[in-house]
Amino acid sequence: MTGELLWAVTDGPAGENAVPAPEDRLDAGRLARHHRGGFWCSTRAGGCGGRLVLQAPGGGRPSFGHPGGARCALTEADAGRAYEHLRYQPALTAWLAGQGHDARLERGPDPGGHSGLHVVVDELGVVLEVQLAPLPDTAWRERDDHLRRRHRHVTWLYGPGAEAAAVTEVAVRGVAVALRRHHVGLSVGVRDVDDRTRWVRLAACRLTADGFAAPGTEEARALHAARTAHRQRAARRVRHRAAGPPVPQLGLPFPA
């Protein structure tokens, strides 16, 4: 065997059903018996598409390995990052299909080896940008501008690794939507300007021609609008005090 991977897929060379290697040998045995069809190194994660074998060399932690000395790019990299998007994709796909949407799912760009998801529903003109890795403020603003020039509605969904990008969007729009794995499904968290996050199941959310709707988003937007209006009123009062009382213009008669 060559290479040690902690992730594999069970549905073929271009599979999306990602499973982790268990932490102990008993669980590894149960996983192997459950998936008798075998395991693959998914091309969807940048792998070679070859077969993998679940192994526990020397009694150590189980892992997936390429048999026969096969070479693969993922054995030289952090395969966990490459497989990250596949841990979210099945639940998102099922959620969209349950609403009758035909979506295009693509791996999102990330030069650091992480993989996000770029989900487009053409019939609605909606895009969901699933960000699973850190994204600097400038890069977020550039990609957000690019997406909004091309699509009617854009919603970012931030995984655990994209906390800073979520903070940026809250500062800009007053609301950001987080995404977390929860058992076999996903949970959605709506974050507001008070740094409060309301968590609900993805099943409680909807995708319509008006964009992504989750419980708590309207309240978060209303709070942001109220705070913005309050700051604007305060700024006007400051400018008014700084200007002082009106000065009579020279050459004009004073009131009697």
Side-chain angles (χ1 to χ4, degrees):
M1 305 288 177
T2 61
E4 293 185 0
L5 303 175
L6 296 181
W7 285 88
V9 294
T10 61
D11 50 344
E16 299 174 352
N17 185 30
V19 295
E23 295 187 2
D24 64 66
R25 300 181 69 179
L26 290 177
D27 287 340
R30 283 191 284 267
L31 182 66
R33 289 191 296 273
H34 182 71
H35 295 288
R36 294 185 181 278
F39 306 96
W40 284 266
C41 181
S42 178
T43 56
R44 299 281 181 130
C48 63
R51 284 273 189 175
L52 295 175
V53 174
L54 186 55
Q55 58 189 356
R61 176 176 174 170
S63 63
F64 297 102
H66 291 77
R71 297 182 61 84
C72 175
L74 287 187
T75 61
E76 307 297 330
D78 183 353
R81 293 185 300 173
Y83 273 87
E84 185 72 8
H85 70 292
L86 295 182
R87 301 162 72 182
Y88 291 82
Q89 185 167 323
L92 277 172
T93 301
W95 173 71
L96 290 165
Q99 298 175 74
H101 298 314
D102 184 15
R104 292 186 289 111
L105 281 77
E106 306 168 0
R107 291 177 63 187
D110 193 287
H114 296 81
S115 295
L117 282 171
H118 179 71
V119 184
V120 181
V121 181
D122 291 311
E123 66 196 68
L124 300 177
V126 171
V127 63
L128 302 176
E129 195 72 4
V130 183
Q131 182 65 29
L132 302 176
L135 188 66
D137 179 275
T138 301
W140 178 87
R141 292 173 186 272
E142 290 176 353
R143 196 189 302 175
D144 185 69
D145 288 343
H146 174 73
L147 290 170
R148 292 181 188 278
R149 286 195 298 267
R150 298 176 58 196
H151 303 281
R152 186 182 304 119
H153 294 286
V154 177
T155 297
W156 290 80
L157 302 175
Y158 300 100
E163 175 76 10
V167 171
T168 297
E169 183 163 22
V170 170
V172 173
R173 299 192 177 97
V175 60
V177 183
L179 193 65
R180 300 289 186 272
R181 288 178 290 110
H182 182 70
H183 301 305
V184 296
L186 295 174
S187 294
V188 168
V190 177
R191 181 172 183 167
D192 64 21
V193 292
D194 282 340
D195 203 25
R196 296 175 303 195
T197 303
R198 175 181 177 181
W199 289 95
V200 298
R201 295 174 59 193
L202 179 62
C205 306
R206 290 291 179 268
L207 193 66
T208 71
D210 293 324
F212 182 87
T217 51
E218 292 305 315
E219 293 87 341
R221 292 191 181 103
L223 177 62
H224 176 58
R227 293 288 174 80
T228 300
H230 176 75
R231 288 196 300 269
Q232 290 172 344
R233 289 193 298 269
R236 286 195 294 269
R237 287 195 294 268
V238 170
R239 289 195 298 269
H240 180 73
R241 288 195 296 268
V247 177
Q249 298 184 25
L250 297 177
L252 296 177
F254 288 96

Short mmCIF file of all heavy atoms in Angstrom, two decimals, residues 181-223:
data_model
loop_
_atom_site.label_atom_id
_atom_site.label_comp_id
_atom_site.label_asym_id
_atom_site.label_seq_id
_atom_site.Cartn_x
_atom_site.Cartn_y
_atom_site.Cartn_z
N ARG A 181 -22.36 20.85 9.64
CA ARG A 181 -22.83 19.48 9.53
C ARG A 181 -23.48 19.07 10.85
O ARG A 181 -22.96 19.38 11.92
CB ARG A 181 -21.68 18.54 9.18
CG ARG A 181 -21.21 18.69 7.74
CD ARG A 181 -20.04 17.79 7.42
NE ARG A 181 -18.83 18.22 8.10
CZ ARG A 181 -18.24 17.59 9.10
NH1 ARG A 181 -18.76 16.47 9.56
NH2 ARG A 181 -17.15 18.06 9.65
N HIS A 182 -24.60 18.38 10.76
CA HIS A 182 -25.31 17.92 11.95
C HIS A 182 -25.79 16.50 11.69
O HIS A 182 -26.77 16.30 10.96
CB HIS A 182 -26.49 18.84 12.26
CG HIS A 182 -27.25 18.47 13.50
ND1 HIS A 182 -26.73 18.62 14.76
CD2 HIS A 182 -28.48 17.92 13.66
CE1 HIS A 182 -27.60 18.21 15.65
NE2 HIS A 182 -28.68 17.76 15.01
N HIS A 183 -25.07 15.52 12.26
CA HIS A 183 -25.34 14.11 11.97
C HIS A 183 -25.22 13.90 10.45
O HIS A 183 -24.19 14.21 9.88
CB HIS A 183 -26.70 13.69 12.52
CG HIS A 183 -26.82 13.89 14.01
ND1 HIS A 183 -25.92 13.34 14.90
CD2 HIS A 183 -27.72 14.58 14.76
CE1 HIS A 183 -26.25 13.68 16.13
NE2 HIS A 183 -27.33 14.44 16.08
N VAL A 184 -26.28 13.40 9.82
CA VAL A 184 -26.21 13.19 8.38
C VAL A 184 -26.75 14.38 7.60
O VAL A 184 -26.71 14.41 6.38
CB VAL A 184 -27.00 11.92 7.97
CG1 VAL A 184 -26.38 10.69 8.57
CG2 VAL A 184 -28.47 12.04 8.39
N GLY A 185 -27.26 15.39 8.31
CA GLY A 185 -27.82 16.56 7.66
C GLY A 185 -26.99 17.81 7.90
O GLY A 185 -25.82 17.74 8.28
N LEU A 186 -27.64 18.96 7.68
CA LEU A 186 -26.96 20.24 7.84
C LEU A 186 -27.83 21.18 8.67
O LEU A 186 -29.06 21.12 8.64
CB LEU A 186 -26.70 20.88 6.47
CG LEU A 186 -25.74 20.14 5.53
CD1 LEU A 186 -25.71 20.84 4.18
CD2 LEU A 186 -24.35 20.06 6.12
N SER A 187 -27.16 22.05 9.42
CA SER A 187 -27.83 23.11 10.16
C SER A 187 -27.40 24.45 9.60
O SER A 187 -26.27 24.62 9.13
CB SER A 187 -27.47 23.04 11.65
OG SER A 187 -28.00 21.87 12.24
N VAL A 188 -28.31 25.41 9.68
CA VAL A 188 -28.08 26.76 9.16
C VAL A 188 -28.17 27.74 10.33
O VAL A 188 -29.10 27.66 11.14
CB VAL A 188 -29.11 27.12 8.08
CG1 VAL A 188 -29.07 28.60 7.74
CG2 VAL A 188 -28.88 26.28 6.83
N GLY A 189 -27.21 28.64 10.42
CA GLY A 189 -27.21 29.64 11.48
C GLY A 189 -27.28 31.04 10.91
O GLY A 189 -26.46 31.41 10.07
N VAL A 190 -28.26 31.83 11.35
CA VAL A 190 -28.43 33.21 10.89
C VAL A 190 -27.80 34.13 11.92
O VAL A 190 -28.24 34.19 13.07
CB VAL A 190 -29.91 33.55 10.67
CG1 VAL A 190 -30.06 35.01 10.27
CG2 VAL A 190 -30.51 32.64 9.61
N ARG A 191 -26.77 34.85 11.52
CA ARG A 191 -26.00 35.71 12.42
C ARG A 191 -26.36 37.17 12.19
O ARG A 191 -26.43 37.63 11.04
CB ARG A 191 -24.51 35.50 12.16
CG ARG A 191 -23.58 36.29 13.04
CD ARG A 191 -22.16 35.83 12.81
NE ARG A 191 -21.20 36.50 13.66
CZ ARG A 191 -19.94 36.10 13.82
NH1 ARG A 191 -19.51 35.01 13.18
NH2 ARG A 191 -19.11 36.75 14.60
N ASP A 192 -26.58 37.94 13.29
CA ASP A 192 -26.96 39.34 13.15
C ASP A 192 -25.86 40.27 13.68
O ASP A 192 -24.78 39.81 14.08
CB ASP A 192 -28.30 39.62 13.85
CG ASP A 192 -28.24 39.41 15.37
OD1 ASP A 192 -27.14 39.44 15.95
OD2 ASP A 192 -29.31 39.22 15.99
N VAL A 193 -26.14 41.57 13.68
CA VAL A 193 -25.13 42.57 14.04
C VAL A 193 -24.79 42.54 15.52
O VAL A 193 -23.79 43.13 15.94
CB VAL A 193 -25.58 43.99 13.64
CG1 VAL A 193 -25.61 44.13 12.13
CG2 VAL A 193 -26.93 44.33 14.26
N ASP A 194 -25.61 41.90 16.33
CA ASP A 194 -25.31 41.75 17.76
C ASP A 194 -24.52 40.47 18.02
O ASP A 194 -24.37 40.07 19.19
CB ASP A 194 -26.60 41.73 18.58
CG ASP A 194 -27.16 43.13 18.78
OD1 ASP A 194 -26.40 44.10 18.62
OD2 ASP A 194 -28.36 43.25 19.11
N ASP A 195 -24.03 39.84 16.95
CA ASP A 195 -23.23 38.62 17.05
C ASP A 195 -24.03 37.45 17.64
O ASP A 195 -23.48 36.56 18.27
CB ASP A 195 -21.96 38.86 17.88
CG ASP A 195 -20.87 37.84 17.56
OD1 ASP A 195 -20.89 37.29 16.45
OD2 ASP A 195 -20.02 37.59 18.43
N ARG A 196 -25.34 37.48 17.44
CA ARG A 196 -26.19 36.37 17.85
C ARG A 196 -26.45 35.49 16.64
O ARG A 196 -26.64 35.99 15.52
CB ARG A 196 -27.51 36.89 18.41
CG ARG A 196 -27.38 37.72 19.68
CD ARG A 196 -28.71 38.30 20.10
NE ARG A 196 -29.29 39.12 19.05
CZ ARG A 196 -30.29 39.97 19.23
NH1 ARG A 196 -30.82 40.11 20.44
NH2 ARG A 196 -30.78 40.68 18.23
N THR A 197 -26.49 34.18 16.85
CA THR A 197 -26.73 33.24 15.76
C THR A 197 -27.91 32.34 16.12
O THR A 197 -27.91 31.69 17.16
CB THR A 197 -25.49 32.37 15.48
OG1 THR A 197 -24.37 33.22 15.18
CG2 THR A 197 -25.73 31.44 14.31
N ARG A 198 -28.89 32.33 15.24
CA ARG A 198 -30.07 31.48 15.42
C ARG A 198 -29.91 30.26 14.51
O ARG A 198 -29.83 30.40 13.29
CB ARG A 198 -31.33 32.25 15.06
CG ARG A 198 -32.60 31.39 15.11
CD ARG A 198 -33.82 32.20 14.73
NE ARG A 198 -35.02 31.37 14.70
CZ ARG A 198 -36.23 31.81 14.39
NH1 ARG A 198 -36.41 33.09 14.09
NH2 ARG A 198 -37.27 31.00 14.37
N TRP A 199 -29.88 29.07 15.11
CA TRP A 199 -29.65 27.84 14.36
C TRP A 199 -30.96 27.13 14.08
O TRP A 199 -31.82 27.01 14.96
CB TRP A 199 -28.72 26.91 15.12
CG TRP A 199 -27.30 27.40 15.16
CD1 TRP A 199 -26.72 28.12 16.15
CD2 TRP A 199 -26.32 27.24 14.14
NE1 TRP A 199 -25.42 28.41 15.83
CE2 TRP A 199 -25.14 27.88 14.60
CE3 TRP A 199 -26.29 26.60 12.90
CZ2 TRP A 199 -23.97 27.90 13.86
CZ3 TRP A 199 -25.12 26.62 12.15
CH2 TRP A 199 -23.98 27.27 12.63
N VAL A 200 -31.11 26.67 12.84
CA VAL A 200 -32.26 25.87 12.42
C VAL A 200 -31.77 24.77 11.50
O VAL A 200 -30.64 24.80 11.01
CB VAL A 200 -33.32 26.72 11.68
CG1 VAL A 200 -33.87 27.81 12.58
CG2 VAL A 200 -32.74 27.31 10.39
N ARG A 201 -32.60 23.78 11.27
CA ARG A 201 -32.26 22.73 10.31
C ARG A 201 -32.38 23.28 8.90
O ARG A 201 -33.21 24.15 8.62
CB ARG A 201 -33.16 21.52 10.50
CG ARG A 201 -32.99 20.81 11.83
CD ARG A 201 -34.02 19.71 11.98
NE ARG A 201 -33.90 18.72 10.92
CZ ARG A 201 -34.82 17.80 10.66
NH1 ARG A 201 -35.94 17.75 11.37
NH2 ARG A 201 -34.63 16.92 9.68
N LEU A 202 -31.56 22.75 7.99
CA LEU A 202 -31.64 23.18 6.59
C LEU A 202 -33.04 22.95 6.04
O LEU A 202 -33.52 23.73 5.20
CB LEU A 202 -30.61 22.41 5.77
CG LEU A 202 -30.58 22.72 4.27
CD1 LEU A 202 -30.24 24.18 4.01
CD2 LEU A 202 -29.58 21.81 3.55
N ALA A 203 -33.72 21.91 6.52
CA ALA A 203 -35.08 21.61 6.03
C ALA A 203 -36.05 22.75 6.31
O ALA A 203 -37.10 22.84 5.66
CB ALA A 203 -35.58 20.32 6.66
N ALA A 204 -35.73 23.63 7.28
CA ALA A 204 -36.62 24.75 7.60
C ALA A 204 -36.41 25.93 6.66
O ALA A 204 -37.13 26.93 6.76
CB ALA A 204 -36.39 25.20 9.05
N CYS A 205 -35.45 25.83 5.76
CA CYS A 205 -35.12 26.92 4.84
C CYS A 205 -35.70 26.63 3.46
O CYS A 205 -35.98 25.50 3.11
CB CYS A 205 -33.61 27.10 4.75
SG CYS A 205 -32.80 27.33 6.35
N ARG A 206 -35.84 27.70 2.66
CA ARG A 206 -36.38 27.56 1.32
C ARG A 206 -35.57 28.39 0.33
O ARG A 206 -34.95 29.39 0.70
CB ARG A 206 -37.84 28.03 1.28
CG ARG A 206 -38.80 27.11 2.02
CD ARG A 206 -38.96 25.79 1.28
NE ARG A 206 -39.86 24.87 1.97
CZ ARG A 206 -39.45 23.95 2.85
NH1 ARG A 206 -38.16 23.86 3.16
NH2 ARG A 206 -40.31 23.15 3.42
N LEU A 207 -35.59 27.94 -0.92
CA LEU A 207 -34.95 28.69 -2.00
C LEU A 207 -36.04 29.06 -3.00
O LEU A 207 -36.69 28.18 -3.56
CB LEU A 207 -33.86 27.86 -2.67
CG LEU A 207 -32.91 28.64 -3.59
CD1 LEU A 207 -32.08 29.62 -2.77
CD2 LEU A 207 -32.00 27.70 -4.36
N THR A 208 -36.25 30.36 -3.19
CA THR A 208 -37.30 30.85 -4.07
C THR A 208 -36.72 31.87 -5.05
O THR A 208 -35.52 32.16 -5.04
CB THR A 208 -38.43 31.50 -3.26
OG1 THR A 208 -37.96 32.76 -2.73
CG2 THR A 208 -38.87 30.61 -2.10
N ALA A 209 -37.60 32.43 -5.86
CA ALA A 209 -37.18 33.46 -6.80
C ALA A 209 -36.68 34.71 -6.09
O ALA A 209 -36.01 35.55 -6.70
CB ALA A 209 -38.33 33.81 -7.74
N ASP A 210 -36.99 34.84 -4.80
CA ASP A 210 -36.50 35.97 -4.00
C ASP A 210 -35.21 35.64 -3.27
O ASP A 210 -34.71 36.44 -2.48
CB ASP A 210 -37.57 36.38 -2.98
CG ASP A 210 -38.80 36.97 -3.65
OD1 ASP A 210 -38.65 37.66 -4.67
OD2 ASP A 210 -39.92 36.71 -3.17
N GLY A 211 -34.67 34.44 -3.50
CA GLY A 211 -33.39 34.06 -2.89
C GLY A 211 -33.56 33.04 -1.77
O GLY A 211 -34.59 32.37 -1.66
N PHE A 212 -32.52 32.95 -0.94
CA PHE A 212 -32.48 31.99 0.15
C PHE A 212 -33.21 32.57 1.36
O PHE A 212 -32.93 33.68 1.79
CB PHE A 212 -31.01 31.71 0.51
CG PHE A 212 -30.82 30.70 1.61
CD1 PHE A 212 -30.75 29.34 1.32
CD2 PHE A 212 -30.67 31.10 2.93
CE1 PHE A 212 -30.56 28.40 2.32
CE2 PHE A 212 -30.47 30.18 3.94
CZ PHE A 212 -30.42 28.82 3.63
N ALA A 213 -34.15 31.80 1.90
CA ALA A 213 -34.94 32.26 3.05
C ALA A 213 -34.76 31.30 4.20
O ALA A 213 -34.99 30.10 4.06
CB ALA A 213 -36.41 32.36 2.66
N ALA A 214 -34.33 31.83 5.36
CA ALA A 214 -34.17 31.04 6.57
C ALA A 214 -34.82 31.78 7.73
O ALA A 214 -34.81 33.02 7.76
CB ALA A 214 -32.68 30.81 6.88
N PRO A 215 -35.41 31.06 8.68
CA PRO A 215 -35.99 31.73 9.85
C PRO A 215 -34.94 32.61 10.54
O PRO A 215 -33.84 32.17 10.83
CB PRO A 215 -36.40 30.55 10.74
CG PRO A 215 -36.63 29.42 9.80
CD PRO A 215 -35.60 29.60 8.73
N GLY A 216 -35.30 33.86 10.76
CA GLY A 216 -34.39 34.79 11.43
C GLY A 216 -33.73 35.79 10.51
O GLY A 216 -33.19 36.80 10.98
N THR A 217 -33.75 35.56 9.19
CA THR A 217 -33.05 36.49 8.28
C THR A 217 -33.75 37.85 8.24
O THR A 217 -33.09 38.90 8.23
CB THR A 217 -32.96 35.90 6.87
OG1 THR A 217 -34.25 35.47 6.43
CG2 THR A 217 -31.99 34.73 6.83
N GLU A 218 -35.08 37.86 8.20
CA GLU A 218 -35.79 39.14 8.13
C GLU A 218 -35.58 39.94 9.41
O GLU A 218 -35.41 41.17 9.36
CB GLU A 218 -37.28 38.90 7.88
CG GLU A 218 -37.59 38.33 6.51
CD GLU A 218 -37.02 39.19 5.39
OE1 GLU A 218 -37.15 40.43 5.46
OE2 GLU A 218 -36.41 38.63 4.45
N GLU A 219 -35.59 39.26 10.57
CA GLU A 219 -35.33 39.95 11.83
C GLU A 219 -33.93 40.55 11.85
O GLU A 219 -33.72 41.67 12.33
CB GLU A 219 -35.51 38.99 13.00
CG GLU A 219 -36.95 38.52 13.22
CD GLU A 219 -37.30 37.30 12.40
OE1 GLU A 219 -36.59 37.01 11.42
OE2 GLU A 219 -38.29 36.63 12.75
N ALA A 220 -32.94 39.80 11.34
CA ALA A 220 -31.56 40.29 11.31
C ALA A 220 -31.44 41.51 10.40
O ALA A 220 -30.76 42.49 10.74
CB ALA A 220 -30.62 39.19 10.85
N ARG A 221 -32.11 41.48 9.26
CA ARG A 221 -32.07 42.63 8.34
C ARG A 221 -32.76 43.84 8.95
O ARG A 221 -32.29 44.98 8.78
CB ARG A 221 -32.70 42.25 7.00
CG ARG A 221 -31.91 41.23 6.20
CD ARG A 221 -32.44 41.12 4.78
NE ARG A 221 -31.68 40.13 4.04
CZ ARG A 221 -32.09 38.90 3.78
NH1 ARG A 221 -33.28 38.51 4.21
NH2 ARG A 221 -31.34 38.06 3.10
N ALA A 222 -33.87 43.61 9.64
CA ALA A 222 -34.59 44.72 10.28
C ALA A 222 -33.74 45.36 11.37
O ALA A 222 -33.70 46.60 11.52
CB ALA A 222 -35.91 44.23 10.86
N LEU A 223 -33.02 44.55 12.14
CA LEU A 223 -32.14 45.08 13.18
C LEU A 223 -31.03 45.90 12.56
O LEU A 223 -30.70 47.00 13.05
CB LEU A 223 -31.55 43.92 14.00
CG LEU A 223 -30.54 44.30 15.09
CD1 LEU A 223 -31.21 45.18 16.14
CD2 LEU A 223 -29.95 43.04 15.73
#
